[in-house]
Amino acid sequence: MLQDKTILVGITGSVAAYKAVDLIRRLRDAGATVRAIMTSSAERFITPLSVALACGEPALTSLFDQPFSHIDLPAKADVLVVAPATANILGKFANGIADDLLSTSYLVFRGPLVVAPAMNWRMYEHPAVKKNLATLLAQGASLVDPQRGTLACGEEGVGKMADVDAVIEGIRIALAPKDLAGERVLITAGPTREPIDPVRFLSNRSSGKMGYELARVARRRGAHVTLISGPTALPSPSGVTTVRVETALEMYTAVKERAGGATIAIMAAAVADFCASEQRTVKAEKQDMSLLQLDRTPDILAAIGALENKPFTVGFAAETGFRIDRAERKMVDKRADMMVFNDVLQEGSGFDTDTNVVTIISREDGGVLRKEHLPLMSKEAVASAIFDSILAHKG
Ligand code: PMT
């Protein structure tokens, strides 16, 4: 998404200005061209040379460095991100004050603005700052919330600039088309864990990455997203309501409670098919394990497929081998509107990888199944392709 984009980074006077250097490098690594404007107070914290080395272009600091830079830089930019953003720059932007290169460029710029505030917690709570921020948000700016923590002054509070990952996610959100606005998307992700006794459980190798990418992409494209996640090591995607569950039964209950309000449901979780018939309260002896009895877990996808007013329902089929026939059968049996087949034995596909190789199976008019084979792609790109296909078929 950042490939070939031009990003104008504004850096203002905060101790967090050093984070801008890492931000610029990461944006360039993702394929973006970055130009930077520093205010005179930013120069007190980091040097234009550090910023220029990160950008590969001179960092501009004054309206008078190059004639018309306040016109040329914004005209070429796809997004303007101010990180860190002081109370002063928020006030200037909100009130149309143009007395330096950054504030003048802002008034010329017509694309999306992302701000990552950084300041003392009392300043951030001040009604004047809140009002200025509200003005900018009402004009369509995106806010990357500052974090709580120990601030430069030694005080504890909300005012630390968000970490660079969150700022990059803010930029991606600002750049994404909002073609899922108005959709309420319910997604499952990760494995489930079925306890046998207090120390053992049945589970599988799902990391949650596929489902979390689906959640992130849907949120970027404007959807309201609820993610029901089995146990994973992944942080909750920003702006997504994440409900953490452990067992298939807990996932089933969490999904059933929310399915009625969803317009799209995507079941990417690798739900355990079996659970122990009896959960022991003390650790089982080794010889007792041969007596382990299993029950079937509830089928969550089939339960959604059976709803009278079901959302557009998408299942995933993890198969070992090119068994698209099995995925098609699952799609029909579970009454899904779309199925995403992945052969988990294929290189770069399936469990705990950053990539996937999938075939999207959809229904044409007349009920004929259509298969779209996608090449090896990042899970983020797979998620985008799935939503493109959903929008094409949902009607
Ligand atoms: O999490 P990652 O490491 O990124 O890996 C991604 C993935 C391999 C887990 C993902 O791409 C995937 O294939 N998810 C579905 C795995 C699976 O359980 O497939 P299945 O063929 O067993 O199930 C078919 C469908 O029924 C799935 O949508 C599944 O969520 C659903 N199901 C299965 C059993 C059950 N009791 N309830 C269900 O809802």
Side-chain angles (χ1 to χ4, degrees):
M1 180 185 279
L2 299 174
Q3 184 75 41
D4 300 329
K5 293 285 188 276
T6 299
I7 300 174
L8 185 54
V9 175
I11 309 169
T12 65
S14 153
V15 70
Y18 74 93
K19 292 188 186 175
V21 173
D22 186 30
L23 172 67
I24 292 168
R25 285 211 184 99
R26 299 263 308 272
L27 293 172
R28 289 189 70 206
D29 287 348
T33 298
V34 183
R35 296 301 313 265
I37 298 175
M38 298 173 68
T39 62
S40 52
S41 358
E43 286 186 74
R44 303 256 179 174
F45 292 92
I46 52 168
T47 67
L49 180 61
S50 315
V51 175
L53 289 173
C55 282
E57 296 273 358
L60 299 185
T61 55
S62 158
L63 256 175
F64 309 103
D65 281 345
Q66 288 174 13
F68 300 115
S69 51
H70 65 299
I71 311 287
D72 296 340
L73 286 179
K76 289 189 188 123
D78 294 296
V79 59
L80 168 61
V81 53
V82 184
T86 55
N88 184 46
I89 202 72
L90 296 175
K92 286 192 202 178
F93 281 8
N95 294 287
I97 295 169
D99 65 352
D100 62 9
L101 180 57
L102 183 54
S103 52
T104 315
S105 299
Y106 166 68
L107 290 188
V108 173
F109 184 59
R110 288 292 174 271
L113 168 71
V114 179
V115 290
M119 65 195 77
N120 172 270
W121 67 270
R122 283 194 206 83
M123 292 171 73
Y124 193 62
E125 279 187 359
H126 195 283
V129 173
K130 283 189 166 170
K131 185 167 154 256
N132 290 334
L133 208 42
T135 301
L136 293 175
L137 295 182
Q139 290 168 2
S142 305
L143 168 69
V144 186
D145 288 312
Q147 297 167 334
R148 171 178 292 284
T150 307
L151 307 174
C153 54
E155 292 180 356
E156 176 86 18
V158 176
K160 264 171 95 85
M161 186 180 124
D163 63 30
V164 170
D165 282 335
V167 179
I168 293 176
E169 184 60 19
I171 296 170
R172 288 176 191 270
I173 290 170
L175 285 170
K178 297 293 172 273
D179 51 1
L180 289 170
E183 302 289 355
R184 292 181 306 282
V185 182
L186 181 63
I187 296 169
T188 63
T192 63
R193 262 184 204 167
E194 311 303 327
I196 295 170
D197 64 25
V199 294
R200 303 181 180 96
F201 54 78
L202 300 169
S203 192
N204 59 62
R205 295 179 46 223
S206 169
S207 62
K209 287 179 183 177
M210 189 66 247
Y212 277 59
E213 283 302 341
L214 285 159
R216 250 190 288 275
V217 167
R219 147 85 174 130
R220 281 178 203 151
R221 289 168 67 162
H224 180 278
V225 185
T226 302
L227 176 65
I228 313 290
S229 173
T232 74
L234 304 174
S236 301
S238 78
V240 166
T241 305
T242 305
V243 180
R244 303 228 175 229
V245 298
E246 182 119 348
T247 65
L249 186 58
E250 287 169 11
M251 188 173 274
Y252 173 80
T253 307
V255 168
K256 281 288 289 267
E257 272 169 14
R258 291 158 181 89
T263 56
I264 297 170
I266 309 179
M267 302 292 103
V271 185
D273 288 311
F274 298 97
C275 60
S277 307
E278 179 205 347
Q279 260 186 56
R280 301 163 203 232
T281 50
V282 291
K283 186 179 172 192
E285 296 293 331
K286 286 186 189 63
Q287 58 273 20
D288 288 350
M289 295 305 269
S290 60
L291 302 174
L292 183 64
Q293 301 273 322
L294 299 176
D295 287 339
R296 290 300 303 265
T297 54
D299 193 312
I300 304 165
L301 176 59
I304 296 186
L307 290 175
E308 201 170 322
N309 285 319
K310 67 175 173 125
F312 188 90
T313 304
V314 182
F316 268 72
E319 305 294 345
T320 48
F322 200 70
R323 296 297 308 268
I324 293 203
D325 56 310
R326 286 171 56 96
E328 287 175 352
R329 204 172 67 231
K330 286 176 189 175
M331 178 168 166
V332 173
D333 290 351
K334 301 188 189 212
R335 299 170 73 183
D337 298 301
M338 186 177 279
M339 207 74 185
V340 182
F341 159 77
N342 48 186
D343 171 3
V344 296
L345 294 186
Q346 197 172 333
E347 187 72 30
S349 173
F351 294 110
D352 204 11
T353 53
D354 293 324
T355 53
N356 211 351
V357 185
V358 306
T359 300
I360 300 176
I361 309 170
S362 53
R363 242 183 225 105
E364 296 288 277
D365 289 343
V368 179
L369 296 187
R370 176 176 182 272
K371 286 164 231 146
E372 185 188 353
H373 302 287
L374 300 180
L376 179 73
M377 290 169 139
S378 67
K379 282 185 174 166
E380 178 191 344
V382 169
S384 285
I386 290 170
F387 283 111
D388 290 345
S389 197
I390 290 172
L391 286 175
H393 289 91
K394 191 172 169 281

